[in-house]
Each structure stands twice: as C-alpha cells, then as structure tokens.
Amino acid sequence: MIPVRRSPARRPLRRHSRKRPETAPRETGAAFPALACWTLSRQGLATARALAARLAEAPWSSPGGDADVRACRLFAPARICAPGTVAEDAAPPGAGFHPFARFSAALARNYRRHQGHIVIGAAGIAVRALAPLLRHKSVDPPVVVLDPAGRFAVSLLSGHWGGGNDLARHVGRLLRALPVITTASDTAPGAPPALDILARDAGLRILDWERLPRVAAALLEGEPVPLLDPRACLPQARAPQFLRLEAADLPAGGDVPLVAVHWERRAPASGLLRLAARRLHAGIGCRGGTDAPAILAALARTLEEHGLEPAALADLATVTEKTDEPGLEKAARALGVPLLAFAAPQLAAVPAPHPSPAAGQRFGLPPFSVCEAAALLAARQADLAAGAVLLAPKTVFAGRVTVAVALSVAPGEGEGS
C-alpha cells in the first residue's frame, strides 16, 4: 500500500520518505529498507560481517537524506555458507548469510529490492552480472565493490544520483578502506558541484536526462551555464558556474546549454535541461469505488488545462475517510507520490472558493471543499513552505472526481505572488 500521511489533528503524522521516481528523488520500491552485501568468496566473509555490524551503529544516509539505512542483508555462495542458514527470500536483515547458487541469478532477483549493493569480489564479475539489469541512472540502485580484505571501496554504479559515491565513502569510513571515486566532478581539482547532485538534494526532478552530459561538460570546462530559477528552488547553483537569468534574458537557443527550474508546463527545446520543482499539491475528492484510471485522467486534464508540469507534483491529498479508497491508493502509487490525509474539521476550517454543502452535510460541518482545502493544506505543510496559492480551483469530472491544485510558497514570496 502507498504510505499515507495523516494530519496531526487526527493521528500522529507519519512521515513519508520522499525518494525519487523515474526522474527524481527516487522511489525504489525496495522490499527491504536495507543494503545487500554479496560475498563471492570465503575470504570476504569476515569483511561482510564487520560491515554489517558497523553499519548498524553508523547508518548510511540514502540520497537526499530521506532515510538512514542501517540494515544489511548478507549473501554468500551456498558452498561456503554454514549449516542452518536461511533461504534467500525468507529472511529479514540480520538473519545471517543467505545462500545462493548463482550470483548473477540471485542478484537479478534482488537488485531492485534493496537500497543499494556492496559486492565483495572482483569488479569484472559484478559488471557482467549487472549489465542486463541496468535501466537508467535515475532508477538504478548504487553498487560499491570491495576487495575481500576490505582495503578499497570502489563506487561502480549510480555514483551521483543514486548515492554510490557517498556509499563508497561511508563504507570506507566503516572499514578504514580507501574510497575509489572516478566521476570527473569529484576528482578534478576545483571542479564545481555536479548538477545532478544539486538537483537531487533540492528535491528536483530531471526531465531531460539526455542533456545533462552537455551541461556537466560545460561546468567542468569552466563555461558559465545560464539558469532560469525565478523562485530560487536551486539555491546552491551560484556564480561563477551558473549565470542566473530573468525570463526576458533567455538565449535564443542553439548549442548554449540552458537550465530551467519550473512547475509550469514547459515544452522541450534544443539545449534546454528542464528541472521540475515539486511544489504542486493536488487535492482529490471522489465517490466511493472510483478507480485509479478515472482519478489519473481527471488530474492529468486539470494539470494540462492550467499549464502545470505533471513531474512537479509532490503529493495527493484528501479527507481521512477517503484514504482507504483503492483507486486513490493506486493513483498515488502510479504517480510515485505520497497520499496525505486531513481530518474533515481541518478541511472545513480552510477558506476555499467552492465549498460543497453536500460535504458539510456528510460530516456534520459547514459547507467546505475537500479538494481545494486538501490541496491548500498539503501545500502549506510542505518543507520550507510559508503559504499556498490555489492555482487550479475545484473542477468536477463526470460527477465522480473533484480536483484542485495548489502551489507551496517559499518564505519571502508571498501568497499572492
């Protein structure tokens, strides 16, 4: 089930880990909130045990700082596992070594079920096993390779977006190993911070991954990159590496790379790298039994009609009594966003332009708008938000779904901006 956050007035707030879907802060869908450590030889068993013990005391902070990962599931070839070990798929972290027959097959079954992977063995073996599993740097879990003695921790895969470089450094600290980092922005003297790391840590979604290498090359070569970021969603992107622009100053196009941070719908363009700021919050009301396709279609139409970027959506929000609707849960899961819940009295206390007498009657309250109030409350409780603006007022679709969209406003912007 998609995690649901309920308002403190009804029950304690349940924090949702904001990791990214396809384009940013990653939704891993991992079955185990743990790292997987693969030992390929008897010589690496002691290193694996030491890593698991020390990780429990000093957890790794996953990309964006969303979660502290302190559990480590240990895997080893069946031929070297002690009698009494548990089946690969049956045991939780901390249950000892899980035996496998073939590394490549076991890794394929478990690759996307864990937050990251540490392979104690040859890098070549890891590369060959990983090759058919890879999709894209935005969704591939990080992989670090260790030698059996634990002297070197090599960041092999997803070094930036997935946190592989940070994981290699953390493993190095735990085992007193030398982290081996090969990405240019981490090794070149005086190199600027990598843009994908800045975007990831700011909670932005990269829409044009294919244009990221051109921007990265420009930054490494000392070429200032024009940046359109009118609401300062990417504050760490500073001069001289970035040249902040006003909309009127936008280059005409061509080979000059341009980075734009936005939540309005912006068409792809030559040289343009779009970063979606997740500051849109959709309030949803629906009749019982409404399916996910109907909810998703209504939301998509609302975003399109108001010129809003779908990738800028941060969450869905509704009244508490609707959070057990399968359609809403499936819609949130399909979008890779949390489903937030607010108690009816909270919603009724929010001034909204289109209150519903039916909603008020159902809950024994004055008329109120479920979708508009939920969108505004979700926007106001977002991280660093100082207020909210209703961008898309209540729209009713086929008498079954109501949708509204609000923007979270940062300090200093003002709710009327």
Side-chain angles (χ1 to χ4, degrees):
M1 293 177 63
I2 194 77
V4 175
R5 287 201 314 206
R6 303 183 187 274
S7 68
R10 183 67 180 240
R11 60 180 68 178
L13 180 68
R14 180 178 175 181
R15 299 192 68 84
H16 176 83
S17 176
R18 290 179 183 252
K19 300 181 180 192
R20 72 173 169 262
E22 290 288 324
T23 53
R26 186 183 65 205
E27 292 287 350
T28 63
F32 296 98
L35 297 171
C37 181
W38 303 85
T39 306
L40 305 185
S41 65
R42 194 179 302 277
Q43 291 86 345
L45 293 176
T47 299
R49 291 191 186 97
L51 175 62
R54 293 169 191 174
L55 184 70
E57 298 177 355
W60 172 59
S61 182
S62 64
D66 296 315
D68 288 336
V69 181
R70 64 177 67 248
C72 189
R73 300 183 79 224
L74 305 179
F75 296 83
R79 68 180 187 278
I80 65 174
C81 282
T85 51
V86 289
E88 172 189 311
D89 293 328
F97 282 94
H98 313 308
F100 60 83
R102 291 180 61 245
F103 172 56
S104 58
L107 181 62
R109 287 191 297 270
N110 286 278
Y111 181 51
R112 300 194 182 278
R113 303 178 70 200
H114 295 79
Q115 299 285 340
H117 296 262
I118 298 160
V119 179
I120 303 178
I125 297 175
V127 168
R128 293 180 186 279
L130 286 163
L133 309 179
L134 304 185
R135 297 178 187 171
H136 191 268
K137 65 172 68 179
S138 63
V139 293
D140 292 334
V143 178
V144 170
V145 173
L146 273 170
D147 64 290
R151 294 172 297 178
F152 302 98
V154 183
S155 176
L156 187 68
L157 186 67
S158 295
H160 281 166
W161 192 261
N165 292 353
D166 291 337
L167 180 58
R169 295 185 185 100
H170 189 69
V171 169
R173 287 190 292 269
L174 296 181
L175 298 179
R176 296 184 179 178
L178 177 66
V180 181
I181 312 294
T182 58
T183 45
S185 58
D186 294 84
T187 57
L195 178 58
D196 49 350
I197 290 183
L198 294 179
R200 181 198 71 190
D201 293 346
L204 306 180
R205 287 177 172 165
I206 297 177
L207 302 187
D208 305 295
W209 281 96
E210 71 281 3
R211 296 192 175 93
L212 182 62
R214 174 66 182 91
V215 174
L219 292 172
L220 286 170
E221 293 166 8
E223 177 185 346
V225 172
L227 170 66
L228 180 64
D229 182 20
R231 300 289 182 92
C233 296
L234 195 59
Q236 299 305 315
R238 305 188 182 102
Q241 290 84 15
F242 292 91
L243 177 62
R244 288 190 171 267
L245 302 176
E246 301 293 336
D249 300 329
L250 290 182
D255 293 333
V256 177
L258 169 67
V259 178
V261 183
H262 62 104
W263 55 84
E264 305 92 345
R265 194 178 294 262
R266 183 179 290 273
S270 175
L272 176 63
L273 172 57
R274 297 170 298 163
L275 305 179
R278 298 194 300 169
R279 295 176 65 174
L280 300 181
H281 307 263
I284 306 289
C286 65
R287 290 188 179 274
T290 304
D291 59 17
I295 294 170
L296 291 170
L299 177 58
R301 183 173 169 182
T302 300
L303 294 172
E304 181 176 5
E305 290 181 350
H306 291 270
L308 301 175
E309 171 56 56
L313 191 67
D315 45 51
L316 303 184
T318 191
V319 65
T320 300
E321 284 74 8
K322 288 293 180 182
T323 54
D324 59 354
E325 283 287 339
L328 269 173
E329 292 183 342
K330 292 177 181 178
R333 188 182 304 115
L335 294 166
V337 299
L339 177 61
L340 278 58
F342 297 98
Q346 282 183 286
L347 298 176
V350 177
H354 301 97
S356 167
Q361 184 177 7
R362 176 182 175 185
F363 293 101
L365 296 166
F368 69 96
S369 171
V370 169
C371 64
E372 290 176 336
L376 289 167
L377 282 179
R380 289 170 186 165
Q381 76 166 30
D383 292 342
L384 303 180
V389 176
L390 192 64
L391 299 182
K394 174 181 175 179
T395 303
V396 183
F397 294 88
R400 298 192 61 82
V401 183
T402 60
V403 180
V405 180
L407 170 72
S408 60
V409 176
E413 291 182 349
E415 296 196 16
S417 62

